Amino acid sequence: MNANTARQALRSVARASGASTERTLLARAPAAQRAMSTLLANRSSCSKHAAAAVPAASAAKQQLRGYRMLKFADTEEKVYERSDWPVERLQQYFKDDTFCVLGYGSQGYAQSLNMRDQGMNVIVGVRKDGASWKEAQEDGFVPGETLFPVEEAIERGTIIMNLLSDAAQASTWPTISKLIKPGKTLYFSHGFSVVFKEDTNIVPPKDVDVILCAPKGSGRTVRSLFKEGKGINSSVAVFQDVTGKALEKAVATGIAVGSGYIYETTFEKEVYSDLYGERGCLMGGIQGMFKAQYDVLRANGHSPSEAFNETCEEALMSLFPLVGEHGMDYMYKACSTTARRGALDWAPEFEKACKPVFERLYASVKDGSETRRALEFGNRPTYRQDYDKETDAIADQEMWRVGHTVRALRPDRQSR
């Protein structure tokens, strides 16, 4: 099975098991989170997917804040939380709006379903009869009612959510821009297109609000955390405020698409930090470090299983979860004194070795080199096949082939 076929199979399984998965997650959710999960369990099966029942707690009984000021280390920042935007408040706030989601990829899929589950009026705009059109239909969007060609969807929508790929945003902008009329809101989940306008040629109309909500994770994570009654952290930004309400609208939309809490940034800072992080610790850096450590172990006579377990499995299954839940200091304290001593001694060495790479990386993001590279690649007619070729090559590395066998040995997978 090639990578493309595998991805499609996984997506089909996810859709087919959606209802039972949501019931399982609901059973596991803490009591404080069940109000959101109840929305999912009670969804209507009719074609229009009527809004789910609202939580029992009345909005009138809640003390609604605009935001909280929290200290992050020594810096105070505003934080917006989902508790200040209960479902009934969202529904009232957006009662006259239609969210038009352009594109049904990772973020389009997640954000549209999360909004629909909370009773928002959501339509999807994609190329008629294309792959995304069929996927949206599988998820319950109905042609002529909630699923339209791009141009018609924009005309019907009030909040235009441009969630096409970065390359597609640039290539379709000449058509889309003419349809963004006064009174509409233009929404992005990435500052890429607007910040690097010299390369994308995307300059928003002067007479509309232009906002951003960027979930800090893949669309799959945005969706799964929402279904668990949790919520991903996201950033919001305002590029253009015509109505005087653009920030409030961005925050409310951020909660509607599945955020648990939200902090403020700018379009420019969002895209710089995002491109930098993906290429660094979030994805590129991890693959590079894992591969280097694995290869050195193998070159020194260690077996494939030992090299993988000491490089990837222990990190992903034991140590990284401790860091995520409690912090690096806690993880250090949870390990043996010998491991702690070595980690403390070698961390500065890795910092010293890596910092010049990170400095070059940030400079490459800031000067637009990464943008031009991404656009050039994304505009190739064969970009999907080319990406698959590179990611399939990673899958074929011994390290990750070993990983398939190791993961199958996990006790929780034995019964699958």
Side-chain angles (χ1 to χ4, degrees), residues 93-94 159 185 209 211 243 245-254:
Y93 188 83
F94 290 119
I159 299 177
T185 296
D209 286 347
I211 60 175
T243 64
K245 298 180 179 179
L247 178 58
E248 181 182 58
K249 198 185 307 179
V251 171
T253 304

Side-chain angles (χ1 to χ4, degrees), residues 20 47 101 116 145 198 227 231 234 262 267 300 310 327 364 412:
S20 60
S47 62
V101 178
R116 189 179 72 183
E145 295 182 16
E198 292 82 4
K227 291 200 294 184
S234 303
I262 291 169
F267 270 60
N300 281 275
E310 293 294 341
S364 181
D412 67 318

Side-chain angles (χ1 to χ4, degrees), residues 204-245:
K206 296 292 185 185
D207 48 9
V208 299
D209 286 347
V210 182
I211 60 175
L212 170 151
C213 174
K216 297 299 131 182
S218 71
R220 295 292 163 187
T221 308
V222 173
R223 182 63 176 155
S224 64
L225 289 179
F226 174 83
K227 291 200 294 184
E228 290 173 28
K230 298 176 183 178
I232 198 161
N233 77 87
S234 303
S235 60
V236 294
V238 173
F239 181 77
Q240 197 164 269
D241 186 359
V242 173
T243 64
K245 298 180 179 179

Side-chain angles (χ1 to χ4, degrees), residues 129-306:
D129 296 328
S132 292
W133 180 278
K134 294 172 185 175
E135 288 167 0
Q137 276 190 281
E138 289 175 20
D139 288 335
F141 289 98
V142 180
E145 295 182 16
T146 54
L147 178 60
F148 302 93
V150 169
E151 292 85 349
E152 186 176 353
I154 295 173
E155 289 174 353
R156 290 171 175 267
T158 59
I159 299 177
I160 313 304
M161 305 176 73
N162 197 338
L163 299 180
L164 296 166
S165 70
D166 294 324
Q169 286 185 24
S171 63
T172 59
W173 183 246
T175 299
I176 289 175
S177 61
K178 298 171 185 174
L179 303 172
I180 310 296
K181 304 297 184 184
K184 294 186 186 288
T185 296
L186 183 58
Y187 167 103
F188 296 92
S189 278
H190 195 14
F192 187 99
S193 294
V194 174
V195 172
F196 294 109
K197 60 182 182 295
E198 292 82 4
D199 299 295
T200 64
N201 295 313
I202 293 181
V203 179
K206 296 292 185 185
D207 48 9
V208 299
D209 286 347
V210 182
I211 60 175
L212 170 151
C213 174
K216 297 299 131 182
S218 71
R220 295 292 163 187
T221 308
V222 173
R223 182 63 176 155
S224 64
L225 289 179
F226 174 83
K227 291 200 294 184
E228 290 173 28
K230 298 176 183 178
I232 198 161
N233 77 87
S234 303
S235 60
V236 294
V238 173
F239 181 77
Q240 197 164 269
D241 186 359
V242 173
T243 64
K245 298 180 179 179
L247 178 58
E248 181 182 58
K249 198 185 307 179
V251 171
T253 304
I255 299 300
V257 302
S259 305
Y261 74 90
I262 291 169
Y263 59 92
E264 285 186 52
T265 187
T266 66
F267 270 60
E268 188 173 70
K269 288 179 179 175
E270 188 283 328
V271 70
Y272 288 176
S273 61
D274 188 76
L275 295 181
Y276 175 72
E278 290 166 346
R279 287 151 176 76
C281 290
L282 301 180
M283 293 172 66
I286 287 180
Q287 165 64 15
M289 274 193 74
F290 277 2
K291 182 68 162 53
Q293 179 168 309
Y294 180 92
D295 287 351
V296 169
L297 284 169
R298 292 289 286 124
N300 281 275
H302 295 268
S303 69
S305 63
E306 184 171 58

